[in-house]
């Protein structure tokens, strides 16, 4: 049985609108927290049996139509030769940050089959165990977002270091993005070969850039990445967070599906993006409100999509750790129930 998520990616008619939730495997689930108590986050990302178990949790507990591989966009950064830690309440820390020509040169382009084999093993286990109607999504960070972490060394408020590099040393910035692009291309192709049926590229920090800087410095790399992935013939989802003011440029990446945040109405985004599938875009905070509000706001998003083929329901960004799991479950039910075509 073909997963309806994949049909929606191809803009075919589906019996109802498929839904999955960004960051659906995570701390809002007590079953995730129970595993997290026993292992560090990195150990969880590096153990195929744990990847399998954690990836399946939201499928079984929340009822989503697609599974996203449990991992992190920074896992390949570690394989490039950077020390990676996740600190409680602080998020990821990469050390030392990559700032000089020597440091960019020292970055390696890893062989996924060797250095990231735990991810590929996890994907293979998942394809054996997931029900056939549930699609498996692989993922990676987009070149600029991963490069931002490498240069900033952590999350950032104003992205001063990566943008200084971009403005002052455009050639060095480009060779860094080139290396990250090449790494990501090999990594996502390996995920697809291992069994990922679609891949999502997270441009989480798109909102840090002006439209013209995105176009000049960043778009060529995302475009190149997506063009080379197209050979693999699986849907490519491009999610750019904070880029609703320049979707006309995001469209130039030529992805199959575009994820949009909640700063733009779905129908307006769709008009700009044209004949493509679209994923989104409920404000994640809605899931912290009363059940009636969850229902009302989910219906609003469905109305904006007009039952047009090619809508994949999702949040406009990742689900928050404080979300009541029953609200996520209710959202899935509402979307399935009220999108019956
Ligand atoms: O969606 C899924 O369920 C798959 C798993 C997934 C994780 N991270 C697990 C995770 C995915 C797709 C990601 C992507 C990711 N990681 C992004 C892009 C998505 C986005 O939010 O824009 C980014 C920017 C990161 C980097 C990252 N990883 C941060 C900033 C943090 C700390 C903040 C936080 O939420 O704790 C992480 C850690 C992380 N990645 C956790 C999980 C479940 C929490 C780790 C824990 O249990 O302590």
């Amino acid at each position: 049985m073909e997963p309806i998520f994949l049909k929606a990616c191809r803009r075919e008619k589906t019996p109802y609108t498929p839904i999955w939730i960004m960051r659906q495997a995570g701390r809002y689930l007590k079953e995730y927290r129970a595993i997290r108590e026993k292992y560090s986050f990195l150990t969880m990302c590096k153990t195929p049996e744990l990847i399998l178990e954690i990836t399946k949790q939201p499928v079984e507990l929340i009822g989503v139509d697609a599974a996203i591989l449990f991992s992190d966009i920074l896992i390949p950064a570690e394989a490039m030769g950077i020390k990676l830690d996740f600190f409680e309440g602080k998020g990821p820390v990469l050390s030392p940050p990559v700032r000089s020509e020597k440091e960019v040169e020292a970055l390696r382009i890893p062989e996924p089959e060797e250095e990231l084999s735990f991810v590929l093993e996890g994907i293979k286990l998942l394809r054996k165990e997931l029900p056939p109607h549930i699609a498996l999504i692989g993922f990676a960070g987009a070149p600029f977002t991963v490069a931002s972490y490498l240069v900033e060394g952590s999350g950032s408020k104003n992205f001063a270091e990566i943008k200084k590099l971009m403005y002052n040393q455009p050639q060095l910035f480009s060779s860094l993005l080139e290396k990250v692009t090449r790494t990501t291309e090999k990594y996502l192709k390996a995920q697809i070969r291992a069994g990922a049926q679609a891949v999502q590229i997270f441009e989480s920090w798109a909102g840090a850039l002006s439209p013209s800087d995105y176009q000049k410095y960043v778009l060529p790399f995302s475009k190149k990445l997506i063009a080379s992935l197209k050979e693999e013939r699986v849907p490519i989802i491009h999610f750019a967070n904070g880029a609703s003011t320049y979707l006309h440029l995001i469209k130039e990446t030529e992805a199959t599906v575009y994820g949009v945040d909640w700063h733009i109405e779905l129908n307006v985004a769709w008009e700009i993006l044209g004949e493509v599938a679209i994923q989104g875009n409920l404000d994640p905070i809605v899931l912290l409100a009363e059940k009636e509000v969850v229902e009302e706001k989910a219906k609003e998003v469905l109305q904006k999509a007009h039952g047009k083929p090619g809508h994949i329901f999702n949040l406009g960004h990742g689900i928050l750790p404080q979300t009541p799991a029953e609200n996520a479950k209710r959202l899935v039910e509402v979307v399935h129930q009220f999108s019956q075509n």
Side-chain angles (χ1 to χ4, degrees):
M1 199 200 314
E2 161 104 287
I4 72 158
F5 165 83
L6 291 178
K7 287 189 171 201
C9 289
R10 294 196 302 262
R11 289 189 295 137
E12 290 169 18
K13 216 170 141 46
T14 54
Y16 51 86
T17 302
I19 170 170
W20 69 278
I21 299 174
M22 286 190 274
R23 297 285 199 104
Q24 65 189 15
R27 286 160 296 181
Y28 77 103
L29 291 172
K30 64 176 187 312
E31 294 80 359
Y32 172 92
R33 293 196 303 270
I35 300 177
R36 183 73 176 81
E37 263 172 33
K38 289 193 242 159
Y39 305 97
S40 73
F41 177 65
L42 273 177
T43 302
M44 284 155 67
C45 289
K46 289 180 184 180
T47 312
E49 292 72 23
L50 292 176
I51 295 176
L52 169 70
E53 190 180 342
I54 301 163
T55 303
K56 284 198 309 186
Q57 282 182 345
V59 175
E60 288 163 2
L61 299 164
I62 305 296
V64 287
D65 298 293
I68 182 159
L69 170 73
F70 176 75
S71 188
D72 197 85
I73 59 164
L74 298 174
I75 293 293
E78 193 182 40
M80 293 180 86
I82 296 299
K83 186 168 154 40
L84 174 64
D85 285 299
F86 285 87
F87 294 109
E88 210 62 59
K90 190 166 185 252
V93 174
L94 298 93
S95 53
V98 178
R99 308 233 169 124
S100 68
E101 199 174 330
K102 234 174 105 186
E103 284 160 338
V104 172
E105 265 169 28
L107 287 172
R108 292 185 296 106
I109 297 173
E111 289 302 330
E113 269 82 7
E114 287 159 30
E115 289 148 283
L116 296 158
S117 60
F118 49 88
V119 173
L120 308 178
E121 283 310 312
I123 292 175
K124 287 178 194 159
L125 291 177
L126 276 159
R127 279 307 301 281
K128 267 191 232 144
E129 292 222 3
L130 280 174
H133 64 284
I134 301 295
L136 177 62
I137 307 168
F139 73 91
F144 172 72
T145 291
V146 173
S148 297
Y149 275 106
L150 290 172
V151 173
E152 298 287 338
S154 65
S156 171
K157 267 213 178 78
N158 52 23
F159 297 86
E161 295 300 331
I162 182 82
K163 284 163 89 170
K164 259 176 16 198
L165 186 74
M166 184 173 90
Y167 293 132
N168 291 339
Q169 295 172 272
Q171 278 196 324
L172 185 56
F173 174 87
S174 287
S175 44
L176 171 62
L177 263 79
E178 183 65 44
K179 261 192 168 164
V180 177
T181 304
R182 201 53 206 116
T183 296
T184 311
E185 178 191 330
K186 290 177 81 165
Y187 181 47
L188 286 176
K189 284 184 174 176
Q191 289 188 28
I192 296 164
R193 278 198 299 274
Q197 293 158 291
V199 290
Q200 174 149 324
I201 297 165
F202 285 92
E203 188 73 284
S204 301
W205 303 140
L209 296 166
S210 71
S212 55
D213 283 347
Y214 174 81
Q215 184 173 31
K216 179 173 175 189
Y217 298 105
V218 173
L219 173 62
F221 295 97
S222 295
K223 219 171 153 166
K224 190 173 158 191
L225 171 64
I226 289 175
S228 93
L229 292 173
K230 282 213 165 149
E231 296 162 13
E232 306 294 324
R233 306 196 156 275
V234 303
I236 301 156
I237 310 162
H238 184 279
F239 168 65
N241 182 42
S244 54
T245 55
Y246 62 88
L247 288 180
H248 59 292
L249 297 175
I250 297 296
K251 180 184 168 176
E252 289 186 32
T253 61
E254 291 183 31
T256 328
V257 183
Y258 291 96
V260 288
D261 65 30
W262 66 95
H263 297 104
I264 184 164
E265 300 295 355
L266 213 56
N267 56 320
V268 180
W270 220 333
E271 238 166 66
I272 299 166
L273 291 165
E275 298 295 298
V276 292
I278 195 158
Q279 183 176 278
N281 69 343
L282 187 70
D283 180 346
I285 302 292
V286 168
L287 293 185
L288 305 185
E290 301 294 335
K291 271 210 162 105
E292 297 70 35
V293 180
V294 173
E295 288 179 18
E296 181 196 320
K297 297 287 173 191
K299 285 182 200 166
E300 272 178 27
V301 172
L302 287 170
Q303 273 157 13
K304 302 278 179 198
H306 278 305
K308 235 169 82 168
H311 178 215
I312 297 153
F313 203 106
N314 207 315
L315 302 183
H317 201 183
I319 190 167
L320 294 163
Q322 62 270 41
T323 304
E326 67 269 18
N327 279 4
K329 201 168 170 208
R330 184 68 197 130
L331 174 68
V332 172
E333 286 164 3
V334 171
V335 169
H336 285 168
Q337 189 183 340
F338 289 94
S339 62
Q340 305 263 345
N341 301 313

